[in-house]
Amino acid sequence: NGHLHDEVGLASAGIVHYDYSVSPNWTVADGTILTVAGQNTKVYTTIQAACTAIGTAGVSATLLINKGTYNEQVAMPSFTASLHIIGEGAEVVRWAATANSQTLFDGSTNANMNYLSVSGIWFDLSTFTGATGLNADASKGELKECRFTTGGSSTSTGALTVAAHLRVSDCRFGDATHDSSGARLGEGLDTQSAVLQVAIDNCSFQTATGLTC
């Protein structure tokens, strides 16, 4: 527990271990431990419940988010270790806003993580104003193979701050619709004044503002 794991069991079967796993389809109680090939994984039905447990444990962890739609605002509790959030893929994992001014993942208030990586998730802010997909405060961070859809308004932001040293690769930032004049809406990535270093590789920006540093 508390670190990235290599494949376990039959490598040919593609069995990979994660410390925590979220799926809306789990039928067992939150916190139930499943054992696969001798490795334990705690399962939860909501991202918030899993993040609360991770914060309580206080050690570095990997969190798998399985296929599904998640309509949640997640507040990361106090946590200073490393967190790897791994979605099954942005085409099948949709984390969506349900109202104006929501922040889907907020790790900026209580959490001051050593390292945060997020991959394989679609943050969907379309149709809502003033919403933010990801807001975090980490020493180092990485966004990989994620999709951020703004488009609700010019005040929607895909990812905000994230980390002092940040790498963004293979991500798409774009609005779902245009305003009446056909103009792009929203902001893709806003690192604010917290960033010391940012590297961007193979990303697309189709928003009113692509990147603000």
Side-chain angles (χ1 to χ4, degrees):
N1 196 25
H3 57 279
L4 285 170
H5 299 269
D6 294 327
E7 291 184 352
V8 296
L10 296 175
S12 61
I15 300 173
V16 179
H17 173 254
Y18 301 93
D19 299 308
Y20 300 83
S21 177
V22 176
S23 172
N25 299 317
W26 289 123
T27 57
V28 295
D30 278 356
T32 295
I33 297 176
L34 300 184
T35 302
V36 178
Q39 300 292 326
N40 294 331
T41 299
K42 288 187 176 182
V43 300
Y44 294 86
T45 55
T46 66
I47 302 170
Q48 180 65 73
C51 286
T52 298
I54 291 169
T56 300
V59 295
S60 297
T62 53
L63 168 61
L64 172 66
I65 301 182
N66 290 279
K67 176 181 177 180
T69 296
Y70 300 85
N71 298 316
E72 299 185 51
Q73 292 184 86
V74 174
M76 189 67 199
S78 180
F79 185 73
T80 58
S82 299
L83 177 60
H84 301 262
I85 302 176
I86 303 143
E88 278 199 289
E91 70 279 4
V92 295
V93 178
R94 178 175 173 259
W95 193 342
T98 58
N100 297 335
S101 303
Q102 289 184 340
T103 297
L104 301 187
F105 179 88
D106 191 351
S108 65
T109 304
N110 298 318
N112 185 17
M113 287 171 272
N114 177 57
Y115 185 86
L116 172 67
S117 69
V118 181
S119 62
I121 298 173
W122 173 20
F123 292 89
D124 186 4
L125 313 176
S126 57
T127 75
F128 295 106
T129 64
T132 300
L134 176 67
N135 186 12
D137 181 8
S139 297
K140 296 180 180 179
E142 181 174 12
L143 301 178
K144 183 178 181 181
E145 297 176 353
C146 288
R147 177 183 175 190
F148 296 86
T149 303
T150 58
S153 75
S154 59
T155 57
S156 292
T157 302
L160 181 66
T161 306
V162 184
H165 299 270
L166 176 64
R167 178 177 177 83
V168 186
S169 61
D170 301 301
C171 289
R172 292 170 55 195
F173 300 85
D175 64 351
T177 59
H178 308 304
D179 64 13
S180 57
S181 66
R184 296 287 183 182
L185 297 173
E187 183 176 30
L189 175 64
D190 187 347
T191 61
Q192 298 192 316
S193 59
V195 69
L196 298 177
Q197 182 183 47
V198 58
I200 299 175
D201 180 44
N202 197 34
C203 293
S204 64
F205 296 86
Q206 294 179 319
T207 51
T209 303
L211 172 65
T212 301
C213 293

